[in-house]
Amino acid sequence: MNFYDEVELEDMVFDEEEDKYTYPCPCGDKFEITLDELKSGDDVARCPSCSLIIKVIFDPEDLDSEDSDDEIVLGQPVTTIKVV
């Protein structure tokens, strides 16, 4: 399989309403992969408008964390506050 690129899951944007991750495609649309696809072991995100695909790099244990009571949203920036 020829991938356009390999992208870390944390670099993708998660859409809670549609339960899917997206990443910008050079054609102007977005690569898409659902949370269910990732949980089933699929690591290929596809663009619905062109033939490009990307390989999604992720740790399956991170997906299990999303089901816990502690809400973890991958793809969101983390802010660190330094207390002096």
Side-chain angles (χ1 to χ4, degrees):
M1 203 174 275
N2 292 327
F3 295 103
Y4 169 72
D5 200 357
E6 292 186 0
V7 177
E8 300 269 343
L9 185 62
E10 54 265 8
D11 293 333
M12 299 180 79
V13 176
F14 185 66
D15 181 331
E16 290 184 32
E17 288 182 18
E18 296 190 32
D19 231 20
K20 69 179 176 182
Y21 287 89
T22 61
Y23 188 79
C25 179
C27 79
D29 204 345
K30 296 177 184 175
F31 294 102
E32 302 176 347
I33 190 165
T34 65
L35 186 56
D36 287 339
E37 290 171 327
L38 290 167
K39 286 182 177 181
S40 71
D42 191 3
D43 64 354
V44 179
R46 294 167 171 77
C47 177
S49 297
C50 71
S51 61
L52 294 178
I53 58 173
I54 57 172
K55 181 177 178 96
V56 180
I57 309 299
F58 68 101
D59 183 350
E61 291 178 9
D62 290 340
L63 300 177
D64 293 335
S65 298
E66 288 200 3
D67 293 332
S68 71
D69 292 335
D70 298 330
E71 185 173 337
I72 296 175
V73 180
L74 299 175
Q76 299 299 318
V78 176
T79 303
T80 304
I81 301 172
K82 183 176 179 181
V83 178
V84 182

Coordinates of all heavy atoms in Angstrom, one line a residue:
M1 N 0.8 -1.2 0.0 CA 0.0 0.0 0.0 C 0.9 1.2 0.0 O 1.8 1.3 0.8 CB -0.9 0.0 1.3 CG -2.1 0.8 1.1 SD -3.2 0.5 2.6 CE -4.1 -0.9 2.1
N2 N 0.6 2.2 -0.9 CA 1.4 3.4 -0.9 C 0.7 4.5 -0.1 O -0.4 5.0 -0.5 CB 1.6 3.9 -2.4 CG 2.5 2.9 -3.1 OD1 3.4 2.4 -2.6 ND2 2.2 2.7 -4.4
F3 N 1.3 4.9 0.9 CA 0.8 6.0 1.8 C 1.3 7.4 1.3 O 2.5 7.5 1.0 CB 1.1 5.8 3.2 CG 0.5 4.5 3.8 CD1 1.3 3.4 4.0 CD2 -0.8 4.5 4.2 CE1 0.7 2.2 4.5 CE2 -1.4 3.3 4.7 CZ -0.6 2.2 4.9
Y4 N 0.4 8.3 1.4 CA 0.8 9.7 1.1 C 1.8 10.2 2.2 O 2.7 10.9 2.0 CB -0.4 10.6 0.9 CG 0.0 12.1 0.9 CD1 0.6 12.7 -0.2 CD2 -0.3 12.9 2.0 CE1 0.9 14.0 -0.2 CE2 0.0 14.2 2.0 CZ 0.7 14.8 0.9 OH 1.0 16.1 0.9
D5 N 1.4 9.8 3.4 CA 2.2 10.2 4.6 C 1.9 9.3 5.8 O 0.9 8.5 5.7 CB 1.8 11.7 4.9 CG 2.9 12.4 5.8 OD1 3.9 11.8 6.2 OD2 2.6 13.6 6.1
E6 N 2.6 9.5 6.8 CA 2.3 8.8 8.1 C 2.1 9.9 9.1 O 2.9 10.9 9.2 CB 3.5 7.9 8.6 CG 3.7 6.7 7.7 CD 4.8 5.8 8.2 OE1 5.4 6.0 9.3 OE2 5.0 4.7 7.6
V7 N 1.0 9.9 9.8 CA 0.6 10.9 10.7 C 0.3 10.4 12.1 O -0.4 9.4 12.2 CB -0.7 11.7 10.2 CG1 -1.2 12.7 11.1 CG2 -0.4 12.3 8.8
E8 N 0.8 11.0 13.1 CA 0.5 10.7 14.5 C -0.9 11.0 14.9 O -1.4 12.1 14.5 CB 1.5 11.4 15.5 CG 2.9 11.1 15.3 CD 3.4 10.0 16.1 OE1 2.8 9.6 17.1 OE2 4.5 9.5 15.7
L9 N -1.6 10.1 15.6 CA -3.0 10.4 15.9 C -3.2 11.7 16.7 O -4.1 12.4 16.5 CB -3.5 9.2 16.8 CG -5.0 9.2 17.1 CD1 -5.9 9.2 15.9 CD2 -5.4 8.1 18.1
E10 N -2.2 12.0 17.5 CA -2.4 13.3 18.3 C -2.3 14.5 17.4 O -2.6 15.6 17.8 CB -1.4 13.4 19.5 CG 0.1 13.2 19.1 CD 0.6 11.7 19.3 OE1 -0.2 10.8 19.5 OE2 1.7 11.5 19.1
D11 N -1.8 14.4 16.2 CA -1.8 15.5 15.2 C -3.1 15.6 14.5 O -3.3 16.6 13.7 CB -0.6 15.3 14.2 CG 0.7 15.4 14.9 OD1 0.8 16.1 16.0 OD2 1.7 14.8 14.4
M12 N -4.0 14.7 14.6 CA -5.3 14.7 14.0 C -6.3 15.4 14.9 O -6.1 15.6 16.1 CB -5.7 13.3 13.6 CG -4.8 12.6 12.7 SD -5.3 11.0 12.2 CE -6.5 11.3 11.0
V13 N -7.4 15.9 14.3 CA -8.5 16.5 15.1 C -9.6 15.6 15.3 O -10.1 14.9 14.3 CB -9.0 17.8 14.3 CG1 -10.1 18.4 15.0 CG2 -7.8 18.8 14.1
F14 N -10.1 15.5 16.5 CA -11.2 14.6 16.8 C -12.5 15.3 16.8 O -12.7 16.3 17.5 CB -11.0 13.9 18.2 CG -12.0 12.9 18.5 CD1 -12.1 11.7 17.8 CD2 -12.9 13.1 19.5 CE1 -13.1 10.7 18.0 CE2 -13.9 12.1 19.8 CZ -14.0 11.0 19.1
D15 N -13.5 14.8 16.0 CA -14.8 15.4 16.0 C -15.7 14.5 16.9 O -16.0 13.3 16.5 CB -15.3 15.4 14.5 CG -16.7 16.0 14.4 OD1 -17.5 15.9 15.3 OD2 -17.0 16.5 13.3
E16 N -16.1 15.0 18.0 CA -16.9 14.2 19.0 C -18.3 13.9 18.4 O -18.8 12.8 18.7 CB -17.1 15.0 20.3 CG -15.8 15.1 21.1 CD -15.9 15.8 22.4 OE1 -17.0 15.6 23.0 OE2 -15.0 16.4 22.8
E17 N -18.9 14.7 17.6 CA -20.2 14.5 17.1 C -20.2 13.3 16.1 O -21.2 12.5 16.1 CB -20.8 15.7 16.4 CG -21.2 16.8 17.4 CD -21.8 18.0 16.7 OE1 -22.2 17.9 15.5 OE2 -21.9 19.1 17.3
E18 N -19.2 13.2 15.3 CA -19.1 12.2 14.3 C -18.2 11.0 14.8 O -18.1 10.0 14.0 CB -18.7 12.7 13.0 CG -19.7 13.7 12.4 CD -19.4 14.1 11.0 OE1 -18.8 13.3 10.2 OE2 -19.7 15.3 10.6
D19 N -17.6 11.1 15.9 CA -16.7 10.1 16.5 C -15.6 9.7 15.5 O -15.4 8.5 15.3 CB -17.5 8.9 16.9 CG -17.2 8.4 18.3 OD1 -16.7 9.2 19.1 OD2 -17.5 7.2 18.6
K20 N -15.0 10.7 14.9 CA -13.9 10.4 13.9 C -12.8 11.4 14.0 O -13.0 12.6 14.5 CB -14.5 10.4 12.5 CG -14.9 11.7 11.9 CD -15.4 11.6 10.5 CE -15.9 12.9 10.0 NZ -16.5 12.8 8.6
Y21 N -11.6 11.0 13.5 CA -10.5 11.9 13.4 C -10.3 12.3 12.0 O -10.6 11.6 11.0 CB -9.2 11.1 13.9 CG -9.1 10.8 15.3 CD1 -9.7 9.7 15.9 CD2 -8.5 11.7 16.2 CE1 -9.6 9.4 17.2 CE2 -8.4 11.5 17.5 CZ -9.0 10.3 18.1 OH -8.9 10.1 19.4
T22 N -9.8 13.6 11.8 CA -9.6 14.1 10.5 C -8.2 14.8 10.5 O -7.6 15.1 11.5 CB -10.7 15.2 10.1 OG1 -10.6 16.3 11.0 CG2 -12.0 14.6 10.1
Y23 N -7.7 14.9 9.2 CA -6.4 15.5 9.0 C -6.5 16.1 7.6 O -7.0 15.5 6.7 CB -5.3 14.5 9.1 CG -3.9 15.0 9.0 CD1 -3.3 15.6 10.2 CD2 -3.2 15.0 7.9 CE1 -2.1 16.2 10.1 CE2 -1.9 15.6 7.8 CZ -1.3 16.1 9.0 OH -0.1 16.6 8.9
P24 N -6.0 17.4 7.4 CA -6.1 18.0 6.1 C -5.4 17.2 5.0 O -4.3 16.7 5.1 CB -5.3 19.3 6.3 CG -5.3 19.6 7.8 CD -5.3 18.2 8.4
C25 N -6.1 17.1 3.9 CA -5.5 16.5 2.7 C -5.1 17.6 1.7 O -5.7 18.6 1.6 CB -6.6 15.6 2.0 SG -6.1 14.8 0.5
P26 N -4.1 17.3 0.9 CA -3.6 18.4 -0.1 C -4.7 18.7 -1.1 O -4.6 19.8 -1.7 CB -2.4 17.8 -0.7 CG -2.2 16.4 -0.2 CD -3.2 16.2 0.9
C27 N -5.7 17.9 -1.3 CA -6.7 18.2 -2.3 C -7.7 19.2 -1.8 O -8.5 19.7 -2.5 CB -7.4 16.9 -2.7 SG -8.7 16.4 -1.6
G28 N -7.6 19.5 -0.5 CA -8.5 20.5 0.1 C -9.6 19.9 1.0 O -10.2 20.6 1.8
D29 N -9.8 18.6 0.9 CA -10.7 17.9 1.8 C -9.9 17.4 3.0 O -8.9 18.0 3.3 CB -11.3 16.7 1.0 CG -12.7 16.3 1.6 OD1 -13.0 16.7 2.7 OD2 -13.4 15.6 0.9
K30 N -10.4 16.4 3.7 CA -9.8 15.9 4.9 C -9.7 14.4 4.9 O -10.7 13.7 4.5 CB -10.5 16.3 6.2 CG -10.5 17.8 6.4 CD -11.3 18.2 7.6 CE -11.4 19.7 7.8 NZ -12.3 20.1 8.9
F31 N -8.6 13.8 5.3 CA -8.5 12.4 5.6 C -9.4 12.1 6.8 O -9.5 12.9 7.7 CB -7.1 12.0 5.9 CG -6.1 12.1 4.8 CD1 -5.2 13.2 4.8 CD2 -6.0 11.2 3.8 CE1 -4.3 13.4 3.8 CE2 -5.1 11.4 2.7 CZ -4.2 12.5 2.7
E32 N -10.0 10.9 6.8 CA -11.0 10.6 7.9 C -10.7 9.1 8.3 O -10.5 8.3 7.5 CB -12.4 10.7 7.4 CG -12.8 12.0 6.9 CD -14.3 12.0 6.3 OE1 -14.8 10.9 6.2 OE2 -14.8 13.1 6.1
I33 N -10.8 8.9 9.6 CA -10.9 7.6 10.2 C -11.7 7.6 11.5 O -11.6 8.6 12.3 CB -9.5 7.0 10.5 CG1 -9.5 5.5 10.8 CG2 -8.7 7.8 11.5 CD1 -8.2 4.8 10.7
T34 N -12.6 6.7 11.6 CA -13.5 6.7 12.8 C -12.8 6.0 14.0 O -11.9 5.3 13.9 CB -14.8 6.0 12.6 OG1 -14.5 4.6 12.4 CG2 -15.5 6.6 11.4
L35 N -13.3 6.4 15.2 CA -12.8 5.8 16.4 C -13.0 4.3 16.4 O -12.1 3.5 16.8 CB -13.5 6.4 17.6 CG -13.0 6.0 19.0 CD1 -11.5 6.3 19.1 CD2 -13.7 6.8 20.1
D36 N -14.1 3.8 15.9 CA -14.4 2.4 15.8 C -13.4 1.7 14.9 O -13.0 0.6 15.1 CB -15.8 2.1 15.3 CG -16.9 2.4 16.4 OD1 -16.5 2.4 17.6 OD2 -18.0 2.6 16.0
E37 N -13.1 2.3 13.7 CA -12.1 1.7 12.8 C -10.7 1.6 13.5 O -10.1 0.6 13.4 CB -11.9 2.6 11.6 CG -13.1 2.6 10.7 CD -13.1 3.6 9.5 OE1 -12.5 4.7 9.7 OE2 -13.6 3.2 8.4
L38 N -10.3 2.6 14.3 CA -9.1 2.6 15.0 C -9.1 1.4 16.0 O -8.1 0.7 16.2 CB -8.8 3.9 15.7 CG -8.4 5.0 14.7 CD1 -8.4 6.4 15.5 CD2 -7.0 4.8 14.1
K39 N -10.2 1.3 16.8 CA -10.3 0.3 17.8 C -10.3 -1.1 17.2 O -9.9 -2.0 17.9 CB -11.6 0.5 18.6 CG -11.5 1.7 19.6 CD -12.7 1.9 20.4 CE -12.6 3.0 21.4 NZ -13.8 3.2 22.2
S40 N -10.7 -1.2 16.0 CA -10.7 -2.6 15.3 C -9.4 -2.9 14.7 O -9.2 -3.9 14.1 CB -11.9 -2.6 14.3 OG -11.6 -1.8 13.2
G41 N -8.4 -1.9 14.8 CA -7.1 -2.2 14.3 C -6.8 -1.5 12.9 O -5.7 -1.7 12.4
D42 N -7.7 -0.9 12.4 CA -7.5 -0.2 11.1 C -6.6 1.0 11.3 O -6.9 1.8 12.3 CB -8.8 0.3 10.5 CG -8.7 0.7 9.0 OD1 -7.6 0.7 8.5 OD2 -9.7 1.1 8.4
D43 N -5.6 1.2 10.5 CA -4.7 2.4 10.7 C -4.6 3.2 9.4 O -3.6 3.9 9.2 CB -3.3 1.9 11.2 CG -2.6 1.1 10.2 OD1 -3.2 0.7 9.2 OD2 -1.4 0.7 10.4
V44 N -5.6 3.1 8.5 CA -5.5 3.8 7.3 C -6.7 4.8 7.2 O -7.8 4.5 7.3 CB -5.7 2.8 6.1 CG1 -5.7 3.6 4.7 CG2 -4.6 1.8 6.1
A45 N -6.3 6.1 7.1 CA -7.3 7.2 7.0 C -7.4 7.5 5.5 O -6.4 7.6 4.8 CB -6.9 8.4 7.8
R46 N -8.6 7.7 5.0 CA -8.8 7.9 3.6 C -9.4 9.3 3.4 O -10.2 9.8 4.2 CB -9.8 6.8 3.0 CG -9.1 5.5 3.0 CD -10.1 4.3 2.8 NE -9.5 3.1 2.6 CZ -9.0 2.3 3.5 NH1 -9.1 2.7 4.8 NH2 -8.4 1.2 3.3
C47 N -9.1 9.9 2.2 CA -9.8 11.1 1.8 C -11.0 10.7 0.9 O -10.8 10.0 0.0 CB -8.8 12.0 1.0 SG -9.6 13.5 0.4
P48 N -12.1 11.3 1.2 CA -13.3 10.9 0.4 C -13.3 11.6 -0.9 O -14.1 11.2 -1.8 CB -14.5 11.4 1.3 CG -13.9 12.5 2.2 CD -12.5 12.1 2.4
S49 N -12.5 12.6 -1.2 CA -12.5 13.3 -2.4 C -11.4 12.9 -3.4 O -11.5 13.3 -4.6 CB -12.4 14.8 -2.2 OG -13.5 15.3 -1.4
C50 N -10.4 12.2 -3.0 CA -9.3 11.8 -3.9 C -8.8 10.4 -3.5 O -9.4 9.8 -2.6 CB -8.2 12.8 -3.9 SG -7.2 12.9 -2.4
S51 N -7.8 9.9 -4.1 CA -7.3 8.6 -3.9 C -6.2 8.5 -2.8 O -5.7 7.4 -2.5 CB -6.8 8.0 -5.2 OG -5.7 8.7 -5.7
L52 N -5.9 9.6 -2.2 CA -4.8 9.6 -1.2 C -5.2 8.9 0.1 O -6.4 9.0 0.5 CB -4.3 11.0 -0.9 CG -3.6 11.7 -2.1 CD1 -3.2 13.1 -1.6 CD2 -2.4 10.9 -2.6
I53 N -4.2 8.2 0.7 CA -4.5 7.6 2.0 C -3.3 7.9 2.9 O -2.1 8.1 2.4 CB -4.7 6.1 1.9 CG1 -3.5 5.4 1.3 CG2 -6.0 5.7 1.2 CD1 -3.5 3.9 1.3
I54 N -3.5 7.9 4.2 CA -2.4 8.1 5.2 C -2.4 7.0 6.2 O -3.4 6.4 6.5 CB -2.4 9.5 5.9 CG1 -3.7 9.7 6.6 CG2 -2.1 10.6 4.9 CD1 -3.8 10.9 7.5
K55 N -1.2 6.7 6.7 CA -1.1 5.7 7.8 C -1.2 6.5 9.1 O -0.4 7.4 9.3 CB 0.2 4.9 7.7 CG 0.3 3.9 8.8 CD 1.6 3.1 8.5 CE 1.8 2.0 9.6 NZ 1.3 0.7 9.3
V56 N -2.1 6.0 10.0 CA -2.2 6.7 11.3 C -1.4 5.9 12.3 O -1.5 4.7 12.5 CB -3.7 6.7 11.7 CG1 -3.8 7.4 13.1 CG2 -4.5 7.4 10.7
I57 N -0.5 6.7 13.0 CA 0.4 6.1 14.0 C -0.2 6.3 15.3 O -0.5 7.5 15.7 CB 1.8 6.7 13.9 CG1 2.4 6.7 12.5 CG2 2.7 6.0 14.9 CD1 2.5 5.3 11.9
F58 N -0.5 5.3 16.1 CA -1.1 5.4 17.4 C -0.8 4.2 18.3 O -0.5 3.2 17.8 CB -2.6 5.6 17.3 CG -3.4 4.4 16.8 CD1 -4.1 3.6 17.7 CD2 -3.4 4.1 15.4 CE1 -4.8 2.5 17.2 CE2 -4.1 3.0 15.0 CZ -4.8 2.2 15.9
D59 N -1.0 4.4 19.6 CA -0.9 3.4 20.6 C -2.3 2.9 20.9 O -3.1 3.7 21.4 CB -0.2 3.9 21.8 CG 0.1 2.8 22.8 OD1 -0.5 1.7 22.7 OD2 0.8 3.1 23.8
P60 N -2.7 1.7 20.7 CA -4.0 1.2 20.9 C -4.4 1.4 22.4 O -5.6 1.6 22.7 CB -4.0 -0.3 20.6 CG -2.9 -0.4 19.6 CD -1.9 0.6 20.0
E61 N -3.5 1.5 23.3 CA -3.8 1.7 24.7 C -4.4 3.1 24.9 O -5.2 3.4 25.8 CB -2.6 1.5 25.6 CG -2.1 0.1 25.7 CD -0.9 -0.1 26.5 OE1 -0.4 0.9 27.2 OE2 -0.4 -1.2 26.5
D62 N -4.0 4.1 24.1 CA -4.5 5.4 24.2 C -6.0 5.5 23.8 O -6.8 6.3 24.4 CB -3.8 6.4 23.2 CG -2.4 6.7 23.7 OD1 -2.1 6.5 24.8 OD2 -1.6 7.1 22.8
L63 N -6.5 4.6 23.0 CA -7.9 4.5 22.6 C -8.7 4.0 23.8 O -9.8 4.5 24.1 CB -8.1 3.6 21.4 CG -7.4 4.0 20.2 CD1 -7.6 3.0 19.1 CD2 -7.8 5.4 19.7
D64 N -8.2 3.1 24.6 CA -8.9 2.6 25.8 C -9.0 3.7 26.8 O -10.0 3.7 27.5 CB -8.1 1.4 26.4 CG -8.1 0.2 25.4 OD1 -9.0 0.1 24.6 OD2 -7.2 -0.7 25.5
S65 N -8.1 4.6 26.8 CA -8.2 5.7 27.8 C -9.4 6.6 27.6 O -9.9 7.2 28.5 CB -6.9 6.5 27.7 OG -5.8 5.8 28.1
E66 N -9.8 6.7 26.3 CA -10.9 7.5 26.0 C -12.2 7.0 26.6 O -13.2 7.7 26.8 CB -11.1 7.7 24.5 CG -10.0 8.5 23.9 CD -10.4 9.1 22.5 OE1 -11.5 8.8 22.1 OE2 -9.6 9.8 21.9
D67 N -12.3 5.7 26.9 CA -13.5 5.1 27.5 C -13.5 5.3 29.0 O -14.5 5.0 29.6 CB -13.6 3.6 27.1 CG -13.8 3.4 25.6 OD1 -14.4 4.4 25.0 OD2 -13.4 2.4 25.1
S68 N -12.4 5.7 29.6 CA -12.4 5.8 31.1 C -13.1 7.1 31.5 O -13.5 7.9 30.7 CB -10.9 5.8 31.5 OG -10.3 7.0 31.2
D69 N -13.2 7.2 32.8 CA -13.9 8.4 33.4 C -13.1 9.7 33.2 O -13.6 10.8 33.2 CB -14.2 8.2 34.9 CG -15.2 7.1 35.1 OD1 -16.0 6.9 34.2 OD2 -15.2 6.5 36.2
D70 N -11.7 9.5 33.1 CA -10.9 10.7 32.9 C -10.9 11.0 31.4 O -10.4 10.2 30.6 CB -9.4 10.4 33.3 CG -9.3 10.1 34.8 OD1 -10.1 10.6 35.5 OD2 -8.4 9.3 35.1
E71 N -11.5 12.1 31.0 CA -11.6 12.4 29.6 C -10.3 12.8 29.0 O -9.6 13.8 29.4 CB -12.6 13.5 29.4 CG -12.9 13.8 27.9 CD -14.0 14.8 27.7 OE1 -14.8 14.9 28.6 OE2 -14.0 15.4 26.6
I72 N -9.8 12.1 28.0 CA -8.6 12.4 27.3 C -9.0 12.6 25.8 O -9.6 11.8 25.2 CB -7.6 11.2 27.4 CG1 -7.2 11.0 28.8 CG2 -6.4 11.5 26.5 CD1 -6.3 9.8 29.0
V73 N -8.7 13.8 25.3 CA -9.0 14.1 24.0 C -7.7 14.3 23.2 O -6.9 15.2 23.4 CB -9.8 15.4 23.9 CG1 -10.2 15.7 22.4 CG2 -11.1 15.3 24.7
L74 N -7.4 13.3 22.3 CA -6.2 13.3 21.6 C -6.3 14.4 20.5 O -7.4 14.6 20.0 CB -6.0 11.9 20.9 CG -5.8 10.8 21.9 CD1 -5.7 9.5 21.1 CD2 -4.5 11.0 22.7
G75 N -5.2 15.0 20.1 CA -5.2 16.0 19.1 C -5.5 17.4 19.6 O -5.5 18.3 18.9
Q76 N -5.6 17.5 21.0 CA -5.8 18.8 21.6 C -4.5 19.2 22.2 O -3.8 18.4 22.8 CB -7.0 18.7 22.6 CG -8.3 18.3 22.0 CD -8.8 19.3 20.9 OE1 -8.7 20.5 21.1 NE2 -9.3 18.8 19.8
P77 N -4.2 20.5 22.2 CA -3.0 21.0 22.8 C -3.1 20.9 24.4 O -4.2 21.0 24.9 CB -2.9 22.5 22.4 CG -4.3 22.8 22.0 CD -5.0 21.6 21.5
V78 N -2.0 20.6 25.0 CA -1.9 20.6 26.4 C -1.1 21.8 26.9 O -0.1 22.1 26.4 CB -1.1 19.3 26.9 CG1 -1.0 19.2 28.4 CG2 -1.9 18.0 26.3
T79 N -1.7 22.4 28.0 CA -1.1 23.6 28.5 C -0.4 23.2 29.9 O -1.1 22.6 30.7 CB -2.1 24.7 28.7 OG1 -2.7 25.0 27.5 CG2 -1.4 26.0 29.3
T80 N 0.8 23.6 30.0 CA 1.5 23.3 31.3 C 1.7 24.7 32.0 O 2.1 25.6 31.4 CB 2.9 22.7 31.1 OG1 2.7 21.5 30.3 CG2 3.6 22.4 32.4
I81 N 1.3 24.7 33.3 CA 1.4 25.9 34.1 C 2.5 25.7 35.1 O 2.5 24.8 35.9 CB 0.1 26.3 34.8 CG1 -1.0 26.5 33.7 CG2 0.2 27.5 35.7 CD1 -2.4 26.6 34.3
K82 N 3.4 26.6 35.1 CA 4.5 26.5 36.0 C 4.2 27.4 37.3 O 4.0 28.6 37.1 CB 5.8 27.0 35.4 CG 7.0 26.8 36.3 CD 8.3 27.2 35.6 CE 9.5 27.1 36.5 NZ 10.7 27.5 35.9
V83 N 4.2 26.7 38.4 CA 3.9 27.4 39.7 C 5.2 27.8 40.3 O 6.1 26.9 40.5 CB 3.1 26.6 40.6 CG1 2.8 27.3 41.9 CG2 1.8 26.2 39.9
V84 N 5.4 29.1 40.6 CA 6.6 29.5 41.2 C 6.5 29.8 42.7 O 5.5 30.3 43.2 CB 7.1 30.8 40.5 CG1 8.5 31.3 41.1 CG2 7.2 30.6 39.0

